[in-house]
Amino acid sequence: MMNEDLGRKTLRLLEYPRVMEMVAACARSDEAADMIRNGGPREDGAETLKAQVSFAVNLLAEGGRESTGALPSIGFLFPRLETQDASLEIDEAYAIGLFVERGGELLRWFFRGEGVPRLFDGFAFLPSCAHLADKIFRVIDREGRLRDLPEFRAIKKRIASIASRIEAAVARYTGSEETRRMLQSAVPSQRDGRVVLAVKANFRGRIPGIVHEVSSSGQTVFIEPAEAVEGNNSILIEKRLLDAEIRKTLRELTGHIALGLADLEIFHRGIVELETLRARARYSRETRGNFARGPDAQKGADLFVLRAARHPLLGSSAVPIDFTMGGGVRTVIVTGPNTGGKTAALKTAGLLVLMNQSGLALPAEEAVLPVFGGVYADIGDEQSLSQSLSTFSGHMTNISGIMGAARENSLVLLDELGSGTDPEEGSAIAMAILDYFIERKARLITTTHHGMLKNYGYSREGVENASVEFDGRTLSPTYRIVMGVPGESRALDIAARNGLPPSVTEKARGYLSGGRSDVSALIRSLREKHIELDRSARESRAEELRLGEERRRADLRELSLREKEAELRAGAAGRLRDLLDESRKTLENLVREVREGELTREKTVRVKEFLRGLEQSVEAEDAVLDAEEKILAEERRRGQNAEGAPGGTCPGGLPAFAPGARVLAGPSRRKGIITRQDKKRPGEAGEKRWIVEVGSLKMRFAESDLLLLPGEAPKKSPPPVAGWAADVVSPPAVGELGIRGMRLDEALEALRKQIDAAILSGLGRFAVIHGKGGGILMKGVHECLAGDPRVADYYFSRPELGGFGRTEVILK
């Protein structure tokens, strides 16, 4: 990725090894942990690595059964397996069996669902080594012990038989009262694998046998009884036979493993790499980080953005910083007071770049980072007495090395540029160094106290000033980064705060020239205006969110009213249907009676009573329906008043119920436009009535039967379709949104409307078909989804459903 010596030094300065040690601790394999420690950031394949880790994070979030067993280290055994007639020990063969078995579980965990990205294809085709594990576990049990195989059983049986004979011979001494008093212990012991008795020294001549040992005190003699000598000899022989049979079995097992060594090595490399991905994913999930996006070509390929970024090693004490470099800016000069956080910000930016190129989620709310071919840093005091280097010389030595290595795609971090020497000469050298890196088109972030460099930041194209914020009231830093404004060193304030006598600081202020004071005042004014602009921007964003939430509530309220209206219609229709069915039966009976007999006065009266009762029932239903519609109209009016703008206007800005206003008219809620007020025929209790153009017809409606529609100046619409479908104001949610062929802004607008409609209709998930092409639509869709708080998750579809050309969206 970069010059090896400078690269290792930069990693150490930015504390990258400490972060990777934390990642390695998440691995369940020593070999994977070593690979993580020794791997370093990547340039080639950095985005692929990040996508793989992101997929693994999603797997962890989904839960499910995950293999918790550790993966044993087996790589060191491969050279021995290449040796002719090699023989593994039991625990070594057992380790290979466990690795193959648990590696298979890890592989199945990664590929347990559908839609695994194609960037995992290399792992999907790893050779199967399950037959090796089967062979191993036929010889060794799950506890790592040798199984009782038939070839061992006969020998073990003979050993047990001989041992029982020896035990019987020894029992004649331990079981007899006469001989037991000669023994120090009634329990036999062993010496060199042979059964012996602990005999008191003064009785050693009373028990015939072979003396194997005498205790240090001389009080005990360990004697192998004569009756047990032959048995002990036989057991020794049988044990040697058993050992030979075990070595033969292990040699055969080792030979079988060696035959599959090529596949085993490939499988081992793949599984260890998969475990490194799982470890990176586990770290990313535990730290609750977010993966950085790559720069968008439309927004600028050189974009470098960190939002609320924290140093990963500072924990809860880290102060989040915002840092932006884009729009042609490739150099940022950070100024400000000592202990203000300049160096911490420099380290945070550099470390997060390295973490991004190591496939890790970053401790930041948002990050947009390019992939760098090299990251070089000169941070801290490089003074060395042994090498006769002063602070300035140490910095110049490091910077000269960086100047020789940096290229266009490099990131250079320089702390306190030009310090440690005469300020005027140091400033000149610093500007010349900046010129060099700018000509090389390297990306550069530097900190300094030199005032000349602040002017350089304003006068040089592609260079921007930044500062660490300082609270003038508390005389303490806030550690926030303010882009676009240079900072003051505030050395006098900090010196006073740290105990320098006031008389000294006042005299120091007197030495400062008036021009210097004017510059400081200008910087303070710029910072105040910048803070005010930030506050205004935050308030604008908050207002946008508030208005969006109010619009969402209004949509939900409208949907609820529509549902009530549909229920009202359905209920009224049901009651009328029941009334008609019952009335039809009664009328049919009356007609049949009239036809079958004479038309009498009694039958005539019954027919009239039926008709009168039917009329009363219809009137009663009409009264119920009118009452329910009035209640619904009142609810609509209350909701409209709550949402309307001041001054009696509707949300669209038109006067309430004025000519030209768009409305939904009547119970069917057909769209129309108010043409004028009907003053000749006022409604009940003086209620206003309006002439509304509905399609090609002009109709009169009471104001209570109208509902204002928000929007711009009305446009004459074609005649509406009758029925409920004509009342839909916004497009319905769909299960699959196709945006191929659209411009990016059109596609994003369609996506936002789809999310709104899905939430209103209760649709929890849908898919977006954006195609692959140049990837512009795909990136735009993913950025929109990532920034929408209503989206819980999104990911590419399974290959058979569209793969990278189709994105699944899950809503909260």
Side-chain angles (χ1 to χ4, degrees):
M1 174 181 173
M2 46 190 170
N3 180 286
E4 186 174 357
D5 292 335
L6 284 172
R8 281 200 301 267
K9 188 171 188 178
T10 296
L11 297 183
R12 175 179 58 79
L13 289 173
L14 297 178
E15 301 180 279
Y16 175 80
R18 288 183 59 190
V19 173
M20 299 313 292
E21 189 62 43
M22 295 165 64
V23 178
C26 296
R28 291 174 180 162
S29 160
D30 290 341
E31 291 173 313
D34 289 340
M35 184 179 290
I36 290 169
R37 293 187 192 98
N38 301 327
R42 301 184 186 181
E43 178 185 2
D44 298 329
E47 292 298 326
T48 299
L49 174 63
K50 190 162 57 178
Q52 290 173 327
V53 176
S54 177
F55 177 79
V57 169
N58 291 334
L59 288 181
L60 290 171
E62 290 173 6
R65 187 175 181 275
E66 181 189 1
S67 172
T68 56
L71 292 169
S73 298
I74 63 170
F76 70 96
L77 297 174
F78 295 159
R80 283 178 52 194
L81 289 171
E82 295 174 353
T83 306
Q84 187 72 20
D85 294 329
S87 178
L88 296 175
E89 298 297 329
I90 294 175
D91 59 336
E92 293 171 339
Y94 177 62
I96 292 176
L98 280 183
F99 184 92
V100 171
E101 195 171 69
R102 292 174 180 174
E105 292 175 359
L106 178 60
L107 199 59
R108 287 189 293 275
W109 180 77
F110 265 95
F111 288 86
R112 69 182 183 216
E114 299 178 351
V116 179
R118 296 198 61 182
L119 45 86
F120 281 92
D121 282 355
F123 299 104
F125 299 104
L126 287 178
S128 173
C129 295
H131 64 286
L132 295 180
D134 292 341
K135 182 69 175 177
I136 290 169
F137 288 119
R138 280 200 293 268
V139 176
I140 302 169
D141 65 18
R142 297 291 172 177
E143 303 299 323
R145 296 187 295 265
L146 203 62
R147 291 186 182 275
D148 188 19
L149 301 177
E151 49 266 39
F152 305 151
R153 208 167 293 142
I155 300 175
K156 289 181 178 180
K157 188 175 181 180
R158 291 198 298 270
I159 291 173
S161 175
I162 297 169
S164 63
R165 292 202 303 270
I166 294 174
E167 185 178 348
V170 171
R172 286 198 289 271
Y173 292 95
T174 58
S176 169
E177 285 292 338
E178 181 181 354
T179 54
R180 190 184 304 142
R181 62 187 180 83
M182 305 177 188
L183 305 177
Q184 291 283 12
S185 171
V187 179
S189 60
Q190 287 200 356
R191 290 295 183 272
D192 298 326
R194 304 177 76 89
V195 177
V196 296
L197 294 172
V199 181
K200 296 176 182 177
N202 54 329
F203 291 107
R204 68 176 182 273
R206 302 284 296 275
I207 297 179
I210 301 172
V211 176
H212 282 267
E213 189 178 328
V214 178
S215 68
S216 58
S217 64
Q219 299 298 314
T220 305
V221 180
F222 295 94
I223 298 175
E224 178 184 2
E227 298 91 329
V229 171
E230 186 59 32
N232 280 331
N233 290 340
S234 299
I235 280 186
L236 186 60
I237 293 171
E238 294 296 338
K239 285 184 176 180
R240 293 293 182 271
L241 292 175
L242 179 61
D243 288 342
E245 195 63 42
I246 291 174
R247 285 197 299 275
K248 176 185 173 185
T249 300
L250 290 176
R251 195 160 45 249
E252 291 174 353
L253 178 61
T254 303
H256 186 83
I257 296 172
L259 290 175
L261 179 59
D263 285 348
L264 182 59
E265 287 180 318
I266 296 172
F267 180 81
H268 171 260
R269 283 195 300 271
I271 294 301
V272 171
E273 188 171 348
L274 273 182
E275 180 56 28
T276 65
L277 297 180
R278 184 167 67 169
R280 295 173 200 266
R282 191 174 289 113
Y283 170 84
S284 298
R285 180 168 165 77
E286 288 175 358
T287 56
R288 300 181 181 180
N290 294 306
F291 288 97
R293 304 193 312 274
D296 189 337
Q298 289 186 338
K299 297 180 180 179
D302 60 348
L303 195 61
F304 184 113
V305 177
L306 294 174
R307 300 279 185 225
R310 300 172 182 269
H311 196 288
L313 299 178
L314 296 181
S316 58
S317 63
V319 177
I321 64 168
D322 293 344
F323 189 90
T324 304
M325 191 189 306
V329 174
R330 298 184 67 83
T331 299
V332 174
I333 301 173
V334 184
T335 52
N338 289 311
T339 70
K342 298 189 301 296
T343 303
L346 202 66
K347 285 187 172 183
T348 300
L351 182 55
L352 265 55
V353 165
L354 298 175
M355 291 174 64
N356 177 56
Q357 294 181 214
S358 300
L360 300 176
L362 309 181
E365 289 183 5
E366 181 189 9
V368 181
L369 297 174
V371 174
F372 292 101
V375 179
Y376 306 104
D378 175 53
I379 298 174
D381 187 355
E382 292 296 319
Q383 180 173 253
S384 172
L385 296 178
S386 62
Q387 298 180 24
S388 299
L389 288 176
S390 66
T391 298
F392 179 74
S393 299
H395 282 305
M396 291 301 103
T397 300
N398 291 337
I399 292 173
S400 63
I402 294 172
M403 293 172 76
R407 299 291 181 268
E408 182 176 349
N409 65 338
S410 299
L411 174 65
V412 179
L413 308 170
L414 302 178
D415 189 29
E416 301 293 356
L417 181 61
S419 64
T421 188
D422 176 76
E424 187 173 352
E425 292 185 3
S427 296
I429 292 173
M431 288 188 288
I433 290 172
L434 293 179
D435 287 341
Y436 178 88
F437 285 118
I438 290 172
E439 289 169 3
R440 288 223 167 182
K441 298 183 180 180
R443 196 71 65 91
L444 174 66
I445 307 173
T446 182
T447 67
T448 185
H449 283 285
H450 289 309
M452 291 177 65
L453 292 185
K454 300 174 187 178
N455 184 60
Y456 181 93
Y458 279 122
S459 60
R460 193 73 157 80
E461 185 179 356
V463 182
E464 184 174 8
N465 279 310
S467 59
V468 288
E469 194 176 57
F470 189 85
D471 191 334
R473 292 171 300 176
T474 62
L475 298 181
S476 60
T478 64
Y479 304 104
R480 289 184 60 246
I481 300 293
V482 180
M483 303 300 298
V485 180
E488 302 174 84
S489 293
R490 305 299 290 256
L492 296 179
D493 292 331
I494 294 173
R497 185 169 178 265
N498 285 277
L500 200 68
S503 59
V504 175
T505 56
E506 285 304 316
K507 185 170 288 188
R509 292 183 198 279
Y511 283 122
L512 289 175
S513 65
R516 172 70 179 274
S517 301
D518 292 341
V519 171
S520 296
L522 177 61
I523 291 174
R524 282 195 293 272
S525 176
L526 285 172
R527 177 171 290 112
E528 289 169 1
K529 290 186 179 298
H530 196 282
I531 292 172
E532 185 177 347
L533 285 173
D534 276 351
R535 183 169 57 252
S536 298
R538 287 195 298 270
E539 290 173 355
S540 297
R541 287 195 294 270
E543 182 66 12
E544 288 177 6
L545 292 174
R546 185 187 66 79
L547 292 174
E549 181 63 20
E550 287 184 359
R551 186 163 55 248
R552 185 186 69 82
R553 285 200 297 266
D555 291 341
L556 289 174
R557 200 156 36 235
E558 175 64 18
L559 179 63
S560 175
L561 289 173
R562 287 183 179 278
E563 289 174 350
K564 287 182 181 179
E565 191 172 34
E567 291 173 4
L568 175 61
R569 290 179 181 177
R575 291 195 299 273
L576 288 173
R577 193 180 301 110
D578 294 340
L579 177 61
L580 289 174
D581 289 344
E582 187 64 30
S583 301
R584 187 185 301 112
K585 292 177 184 177
T586 305
L587 184 58
E588 288 173 353
N589 290 334
L590 288 173
V591 171
R592 188 169 57 253
E593 290 179 7
V594 171
R595 286 178 177 174
E596 291 175 353
E598 295 182 3
L599 182 61
T600 62
R601 182 177 179 279
E602 181 184 353
K603 291 181 178 179
T604 303
V605 170
R606 287 172 59 191
V607 170
K608 290 181 177 179
E609 288 177 351
F610 164 74
L611 293 175
R612 190 162 48 249
L614 179 60
E615 184 179 0
Q616 291 173 352
S617 298
V618 171
E619 289 176 354
E621 287 296 333
D622 284 342
V624 172
L625 190 58
D626 287 343
E628 290 178 341
E629 285 184 348
K630 285 181 179 178
I631 293 173
L632 191 60
E634 182 61 28
E635 288 185 10
R636 287 182 183 276
R637 189 175 290 107
R638 283 200 302 268
Q640 199 167 45
N641 291 338
E643 296 158 18
T649 59
C650 70
L654 294 173
F657 298 113
R662 295 190 302 157
V663 294
L664 296 176
S668 62
R669 294 302 177 213
R670 297 175 67 184
K671 291 181 182 178
I673 301 174
I674 295 177
T675 59
R676 61 185 174 85
Q677 185 178 351
D678 185 6
K679 297 182 179 179
K680 295 181 180 180
R681 300 180 183 180
E684 298 178 3
E687 183 181 14
K688 291 182 180 180
R689 292 174 65 85
W690 300 90
I691 305 297
V692 180
E693 183 178 354
V694 180
S696 59
L697 301 176
K698 292 185 178 181
M699 306 171 66
R700 291 180 175 86
F701 291 96
E703 193 171 285
S704 60
D705 292 332
L706 300 177
L707 175 67
L708 281 167
L709 285 176
E712 300 174 355
K715 297 180 182 178
K716 189 171 181 179
S717 57
V721 180
W724 178 250
D727 299 331
V728 178
V729 179
S730 59
V734 295
E736 197 171 73
L737 177 65
I739 59 173
R740 285 179 296 186
M742 295 185 183
R743 296 196 306 272
L744 181 60
D745 55 346
E746 295 175 341
L748 296 183
E749 180 63 23
L751 177 58
R752 282 190 283 269
K753 289 182 178 179
Q754 164 71 6
I755 293 174
D756 292 339
I759 289 175
L760 290 174
S761 61
L763 183 65
R765 63 185 298 161
F766 61 87
V768 182
I769 300 178
H770 44 66
K772 298 177 183 177
I776 294 175
L777 278 181
M778 177 189 71
K779 289 181 180 178
V781 165
H782 283 197
E783 289 178 3
C784 180
L785 294 173
D788 197 314
R790 300 169 293 177
V791 176
D793 195 9
Y794 62 91
Y795 50 86
F796 290 120
S797 299
R798 299 193 303 271
E800 63 268 22
L801 295 179
F804 294 116
R806 186 175 186 268
T807 295
E808 305 284 345
V809 182
I810 300 175
L811 301 178
K812 293 182 179 176

